Amino acid sequence: MAYVLDLDAERREITYPDGIDVRLNGHVFRFPAELPADALDPLLADDLDLVGLLADLAKAEGGSAAGDMIELLFRRPSLPKKFLAAVKETYRILLGEEPYERFLSVKPSMADYVRLTKALVKVYGVELGKSFGLGGSSATSGETSSPTSPDTTTSTPDSSGADPDSPASSGSAG
């Protein structure tokens, strides 16, 4: 007998058989229940180099995350425009041509794009940084790191089974 991996068993279509409805400016747009693999292609395009930006941000030392991001964006002045185009192309892939044109006709704001993208990332369970191992632990700036707590505590008795210094309980003879 052959072993079968049933990839259909846990598909999101079971939970959302008709897709994911998104309401925007009085219109409803239906996104697929599962994120098609090719939907990420615009965001992973070599000319966008979003993965390179995320890697540079993960390697940045010191400063604030916002400050590091701004500095990295100044090194890539065409990135914001390319990124927005990639997001729009991703929505075109997800919605299909006609629904996407209808989506554009309601004139989504930048805030709409941000809210929708964040919500879809949560529903689809995809985060680019984590997908490429960029969301892990951060590197330390020194040669060695110190432990987060001492290796000994004063709350543990020196010998196993030692009687604690506490008043006798009501159930003990004393």
Short mmCIF file of all heavy atoms in Angstrom, two decimals, residues 109-156:
data_model
loop_
_atom_site.label_atom_id
_atom_site.label_comp_id
_atom_site.label_asym_id
_atom_site.label_seq_id
_atom_site.Cartn_x
_atom_site.Cartn_y
_atom_site.Cartn_z
N SER A 109 -7.42 53.85 -0.40
CA SER A 109 -6.40 54.77 0.11
C SER A 109 -5.16 53.97 0.51
O SER A 109 -5.19 52.74 0.58
CB SER A 109 -6.95 55.52 1.33
OG SER A 109 -7.13 54.61 2.41
N MET A 110 -4.10 54.68 0.82
CA MET A 110 -2.89 54.01 1.31
C MET A 110 -3.21 53.27 2.61
O MET A 110 -2.75 52.16 2.83
CB MET A 110 -1.75 55.01 1.54
CG MET A 110 -1.07 55.46 0.26
SD MET A 110 -0.41 54.09 -0.73
CE MET A 110 0.79 53.40 0.38
N ALA A 111 -4.03 53.90 3.46
CA ALA A 111 -4.42 53.26 4.72
C ALA A 111 -5.21 51.98 4.44
O ALA A 111 -5.06 50.99 5.15
CB ALA A 111 -5.23 54.22 5.58
N ASP A 112 -6.05 51.99 3.39
CA ASP A 112 -6.80 50.78 3.01
C ASP A 112 -5.84 49.66 2.61
O ASP A 112 -6.00 48.51 3.01
CB ASP A 112 -7.76 51.06 1.85
CG ASP A 112 -8.92 51.96 2.24
OD1 ASP A 112 -9.31 51.97 3.42
OD2 ASP A 112 -9.43 52.66 1.34
N TYR A 113 -4.83 50.01 1.80
CA TYR A 113 -3.84 49.01 1.39
C TYR A 113 -3.11 48.43 2.61
O TYR A 113 -2.90 47.23 2.69
CB TYR A 113 -2.82 49.61 0.41
CG TYR A 113 -3.30 49.67 -1.02
CD1 TYR A 113 -3.63 50.88 -1.60
CD2 TYR A 113 -3.39 48.51 -1.78
CE1 TYR A 113 -4.06 50.93 -2.92
CE2 TYR A 113 -3.82 48.56 -3.10
CZ TYR A 113 -4.15 49.78 -3.66
OH TYR A 113 -4.58 49.84 -4.96
N VAL A 114 -2.72 49.29 3.53
CA VAL A 114 -2.00 48.84 4.72
C VAL A 114 -2.88 47.93 5.56
O VAL A 114 -2.47 46.83 5.95
CB VAL A 114 -1.48 50.04 5.54
CG1 VAL A 114 -0.94 49.59 6.89
CG2 VAL A 114 -0.41 50.80 4.76
N ARG A 115 -4.12 48.37 5.85
CA ARG A 115 -5.02 47.57 6.67
C ARG A 115 -5.34 46.23 6.01
O ARG A 115 -5.33 45.18 6.65
CB ARG A 115 -6.32 48.33 6.95
CG ARG A 115 -6.19 49.40 8.02
CD ARG A 115 -7.55 49.93 8.42
NE ARG A 115 -8.24 50.59 7.32
CZ ARG A 115 -8.16 51.89 7.04
NH1 ARG A 115 -7.44 52.68 7.79
NH2 ARG A 115 -8.82 52.40 6.02
N LEU A 116 -5.63 46.27 4.70
CA LEU A 116 -5.97 45.04 3.99
C LEU A 116 -4.78 44.09 3.94
O LEU A 116 -4.92 42.89 4.18
CB LEU A 116 -6.45 45.37 2.57
CG LEU A 116 -6.80 44.17 1.69
CD1 LEU A 116 -7.83 43.27 2.34
CD2 LEU A 116 -7.30 44.65 0.33
N THR A 117 -3.60 44.62 3.67
CA THR A 117 -2.41 43.77 3.60
C THR A 117 -2.13 43.13 4.95
O THR A 117 -1.86 41.93 5.03
CB THR A 117 -1.20 44.58 3.11
OG1 THR A 117 -1.49 45.11 1.81
CG2 THR A 117 0.05 43.73 3.04
N LYS A 118 -2.22 43.91 6.03
CA LYS A 118 -1.99 43.36 7.36
C LYS A 118 -3.03 42.28 7.69
O LYS A 118 -2.69 41.23 8.25
CB LYS A 118 -2.03 44.47 8.41
CG LYS A 118 -0.80 45.37 8.36
CD LYS A 118 -0.98 46.60 9.21
CE LYS A 118 -0.56 46.37 10.62
NZ LYS A 118 -0.59 47.61 11.44
N ALA A 119 -4.28 42.52 7.34
CA ALA A 119 -5.34 41.54 7.62
C ALA A 119 -5.13 40.27 6.80
O ALA A 119 -5.29 39.16 7.32
CB ALA A 119 -6.71 42.16 7.32
N LEU A 120 -4.75 40.41 5.52
CA LEU A 120 -4.53 39.23 4.69
C LEU A 120 -3.32 38.44 5.16
O LEU A 120 -3.32 37.20 5.13
CB LEU A 120 -4.38 39.62 3.21
CG LEU A 120 -5.67 40.09 2.53
CD1 LEU A 120 -5.37 40.58 1.12
CD2 LEU A 120 -6.72 38.99 2.50
N VAL A 121 -2.27 39.14 5.60
CA VAL A 121 -1.09 38.45 6.13
C VAL A 121 -1.51 37.60 7.33
O VAL A 121 -1.08 36.45 7.47
CB VAL A 121 0.01 39.46 6.53
CG1 VAL A 121 1.04 38.85 7.46
CG2 VAL A 121 0.69 40.02 5.28
N LYS A 122 -2.36 38.14 8.17
CA LYS A 122 -2.82 37.40 9.35
C LYS A 122 -3.68 36.20 8.94
O LYS A 122 -3.49 35.10 9.44
CB LYS A 122 -3.62 38.34 10.26
CG LYS A 122 -3.94 37.73 11.62
CD LYS A 122 -4.69 38.71 12.50
CE LYS A 122 -3.74 39.78 13.01
NZ LYS A 122 -4.36 40.64 14.01
N VAL A 123 -4.61 36.40 8.01
CA VAL A 123 -5.50 35.31 7.58
C VAL A 123 -4.72 34.23 6.85
O VAL A 123 -4.91 33.03 7.11
CB VAL A 123 -6.64 35.84 6.68
CG1 VAL A 123 -7.40 34.70 6.03
CG2 VAL A 123 -7.59 36.70 7.48
N TYR A 124 -3.82 34.63 5.95
CA TYR A 124 -3.05 33.65 5.18
C TYR A 124 -1.91 33.06 5.99
O TYR A 124 -1.35 32.03 5.62
CB TYR A 124 -2.50 34.28 3.90
CG TYR A 124 -3.54 34.56 2.85
CD1 TYR A 124 -3.52 35.74 2.11
CD2 TYR A 124 -4.56 33.65 2.56
CE1 TYR A 124 -4.46 36.00 1.13
CE2 TYR A 124 -5.50 33.90 1.59
CZ TYR A 124 -5.45 35.08 0.87
OH TYR A 124 -6.39 35.33 -0.10
N GLY A 125 -1.52 33.71 7.07
CA GLY A 125 -0.44 33.18 7.90
C GLY A 125 0.91 33.27 7.24
O GLY A 125 1.75 32.40 7.41
N VAL A 126 1.15 34.33 6.49
CA VAL A 126 2.42 34.49 5.78
C VAL A 126 3.07 35.79 6.22
O VAL A 126 2.45 36.83 6.22
CB VAL A 126 2.18 34.55 4.25
CG1 VAL A 126 3.47 34.87 3.51
CG2 VAL A 126 1.59 33.26 3.76
N GLU A 127 4.35 35.68 6.62
CA GLU A 127 5.15 36.85 6.90
C GLU A 127 6.47 36.67 6.19
O GLU A 127 7.19 35.71 6.46
CB GLU A 127 5.37 37.02 8.40
CG GLU A 127 4.07 37.35 9.14
CD GLU A 127 4.32 37.62 10.60
OE1 GLU A 127 5.28 38.37 10.91
OE2 GLU A 127 3.57 37.11 11.41
N LEU A 128 6.79 37.56 5.27
CA LEU A 128 8.01 37.39 4.47
C LEU A 128 9.25 37.27 5.31
O LEU A 128 10.10 36.43 5.05
CB LEU A 128 8.15 38.56 3.49
CG LEU A 128 7.23 38.54 2.28
CD1 LEU A 128 7.45 39.78 1.43
CD2 LEU A 128 7.45 37.30 1.45
N GLY A 129 9.40 38.11 6.32
CA GLY A 129 10.60 38.06 7.15
C GLY A 129 10.77 36.71 7.81
O GLY A 129 11.84 36.12 7.80
N LYS A 130 9.70 36.16 8.38
CA LYS A 130 9.78 34.86 9.03
C LYS A 130 9.96 33.75 8.00
O LYS A 130 10.60 32.75 8.27
CB LYS A 130 8.53 34.60 9.86
CG LYS A 130 8.49 35.46 11.12
CD LYS A 130 7.30 35.14 11.97
CE LYS A 130 7.29 36.02 13.20
NZ LYS A 130 6.12 35.79 14.03
N SER A 131 9.40 33.92 6.82
CA SER A 131 9.53 32.90 5.78
C SER A 131 10.99 32.71 5.39
O SER A 131 11.40 31.64 4.96
CB SER A 131 8.74 33.29 4.53
OG SER A 131 7.37 33.35 4.82
N PHE A 132 11.79 33.77 5.51
CA PHE A 132 13.19 33.70 5.11
C PHE A 132 14.13 33.70 6.31
O PHE A 132 15.31 33.98 6.19
CB PHE A 132 13.53 34.86 4.17
CG PHE A 132 12.81 34.73 2.87
CD1 PHE A 132 11.62 35.39 2.64
CD2 PHE A 132 13.31 33.89 1.88
CE1 PHE A 132 10.95 35.25 1.45
CE2 PHE A 132 12.63 33.74 0.68
CZ PHE A 132 11.46 34.42 0.47
N GLY A 133 13.58 33.38 7.50
CA GLY A 133 14.42 33.27 8.69
C GLY A 133 14.92 34.59 9.21
O GLY A 133 15.91 34.64 9.93
N LEU A 134 14.25 35.69 8.89
CA LEU A 134 14.73 37.00 9.31
C LEU A 134 14.07 37.47 10.60
O LEU A 134 14.43 38.49 11.13
CB LEU A 134 14.48 38.03 8.20
CG LEU A 134 15.17 37.72 6.89
CD1 LEU A 134 14.77 38.72 5.84
CD2 LEU A 134 16.67 37.69 7.06
N GLY A 135 13.10 36.75 11.11
CA GLY A 135 12.40 37.18 12.30
C GLY A 135 12.89 36.51 13.56
O GLY A 135 12.28 36.62 14.59
N GLY A 136 14.01 35.82 13.49
CA GLY A 136 14.52 35.08 14.63
C GLY A 136 15.16 35.98 15.66
O GLY A 136 14.94 37.18 15.70
N SER A 137 16.01 35.39 16.47
CA SER A 137 16.65 36.15 17.53
C SER A 137 17.67 37.11 16.93
O SER A 137 18.24 36.86 15.89
CB SER A 137 17.33 35.20 18.52
OG SER A 137 18.34 34.48 17.86
N SER A 138 17.88 38.20 17.64
CA SER A 138 18.80 39.20 17.14
C SER A 138 20.21 38.91 17.65
O SER A 138 20.40 38.30 18.69
CB SER A 138 18.36 40.60 17.60
OG SER A 138 18.32 40.64 19.00
N ALA A 139 21.17 39.38 16.91
CA ALA A 139 22.56 39.19 17.30
C ALA A 139 22.92 40.17 18.40
O ALA A 139 22.37 41.26 18.48
CB ALA A 139 23.46 39.40 16.09
N THR A 140 23.87 39.79 19.24
CA THR A 140 24.32 40.70 20.28
C THR A 140 25.44 41.57 19.73
O THR A 140 26.14 41.19 18.80
CB THR A 140 24.84 39.91 21.51
OG1 THR A 140 25.93 39.11 21.09
CG2 THR A 140 23.75 39.06 22.12
N SER A 141 25.62 42.74 20.32
CA SER A 141 26.65 43.64 19.83
C SER A 141 28.00 43.35 20.47
O SER A 141 29.02 43.78 19.97
CB SER A 141 26.25 45.09 20.07
OG SER A 141 26.02 45.29 21.45
N GLY A 142 28.04 42.64 21.59
CA GLY A 142 29.30 42.35 22.26
C GLY A 142 29.81 40.98 21.89
O GLY A 142 29.19 40.23 21.16
N GLU A 143 31.03 40.67 22.44
CA GLU A 143 31.62 39.37 22.14
C GLU A 143 30.85 38.25 22.80
O GLU A 143 30.68 37.19 22.24
CB GLU A 143 33.07 39.36 22.60
CG GLU A 143 33.97 40.21 21.73
CD GLU A 143 35.41 40.10 22.15
OE1 GLU A 143 35.81 39.05 22.68
OE2 GLU A 143 36.14 41.08 21.96
N THR A 144 30.43 38.46 24.04
CA THR A 144 29.65 37.44 24.73
C THR A 144 28.44 38.09 25.34
O THR A 144 28.41 39.29 25.57
CB THR A 144 30.47 36.77 25.86
OG1 THR A 144 30.84 37.77 26.80
CG2 THR A 144 31.69 36.06 25.32
N SER A 145 27.45 37.28 25.61
CA SER A 145 26.26 37.83 26.24
C SER A 145 26.21 37.33 27.67
O SER A 145 26.75 36.27 28.00
CB SER A 145 25.00 37.42 25.48
OG SER A 145 24.88 36.02 25.46
N SER A 146 25.57 38.09 28.54
CA SER A 146 25.47 37.68 29.93
C SER A 146 24.17 36.92 30.13
O SER A 146 23.21 37.13 29.40
CB SER A 146 25.52 38.90 30.85
OG SER A 146 24.46 39.76 30.53
N PRO A 147 24.14 36.02 31.11
CA PRO A 147 22.91 35.26 31.33
C PRO A 147 21.79 36.18 31.79
O PRO A 147 22.05 37.24 32.38
CB PRO A 147 23.30 34.26 32.42
CG PRO A 147 24.54 34.78 33.05
CD PRO A 147 25.20 35.66 32.03
N THR A 148 20.56 35.75 31.55
CA THR A 148 19.42 36.57 31.93
C THR A 148 19.11 36.45 33.41
O THR A 148 18.43 37.27 33.96
CB THR A 148 18.18 36.17 31.12
OG1 THR A 148 17.94 34.77 31.31
CG2 THR A 148 18.36 36.49 29.66
N SER A 149 19.60 35.41 34.08
CA SER A 149 19.42 35.27 35.52
C SER A 149 20.65 34.55 36.09
O SER A 149 21.34 33.85 35.37
CB SER A 149 18.15 34.47 35.82
OG SER A 149 18.26 33.17 35.29
N PRO A 150 20.90 34.73 37.37
CA PRO A 150 22.06 34.07 37.95
C PRO A 150 21.87 32.55 37.93
O PRO A 150 20.76 32.05 37.90
CB PRO A 150 22.11 34.61 39.37
CG PRO A 150 20.75 35.13 39.65
CD PRO A 150 20.18 35.53 38.33
N ASP A 151 23.01 31.83 37.96
CA ASP A 151 22.91 30.38 37.90
C ASP A 151 22.60 29.76 39.25
O ASP A 151 22.38 28.57 39.35
CB ASP A 151 24.16 29.75 37.28
CG ASP A 151 25.43 30.14 38.01
OD1 ASP A 151 25.36 30.94 38.96
OD2 ASP A 151 26.50 29.66 37.61
N THR A 152 22.58 30.54 40.31
CA THR A 152 22.15 30.05 41.61
C THR A 152 21.14 31.03 42.19
O THR A 152 21.14 32.21 41.85
CB THR A 152 23.33 29.92 42.61
OG1 THR A 152 23.90 31.21 42.80
CG2 THR A 152 24.37 28.93 42.10
N THR A 153 20.29 30.52 43.04
CA THR A 153 19.31 31.38 43.70
C THR A 153 19.36 31.12 45.19
O THR A 153 19.81 30.08 45.64
CB THR A 153 17.88 31.09 43.19
OG1 THR A 153 17.53 29.76 43.52
CG2 THR A 153 17.76 31.30 41.69
N THR A 154 18.85 32.06 45.96
CA THR A 154 18.81 31.88 47.41
C THR A 154 17.53 31.22 47.85
O THR A 154 17.38 30.88 49.00
CB THR A 154 18.96 33.24 48.11
OG1 THR A 154 17.91 34.09 47.66
CG2 THR A 154 20.31 33.85 47.82
N SER A 155 16.59 31.02 46.96
CA SER A 155 15.32 30.44 47.35
C SER A 155 15.33 28.92 47.38
O SER A 155 14.42 28.29 47.88
CB SER A 155 14.21 30.92 46.41
OG SER A 155 14.48 30.45 45.11
N THR A 156 16.37 28.29 46.86
CA THR A 156 16.44 26.83 46.84
C THR A 156 17.36 26.37 47.96
O THR A 156 18.47 26.87 48.11
CB THR A 156 17.02 26.35 45.49
OG1 THR A 156 16.24 26.92 44.44
CG2 THR A 156 17.01 24.85 45.39
#
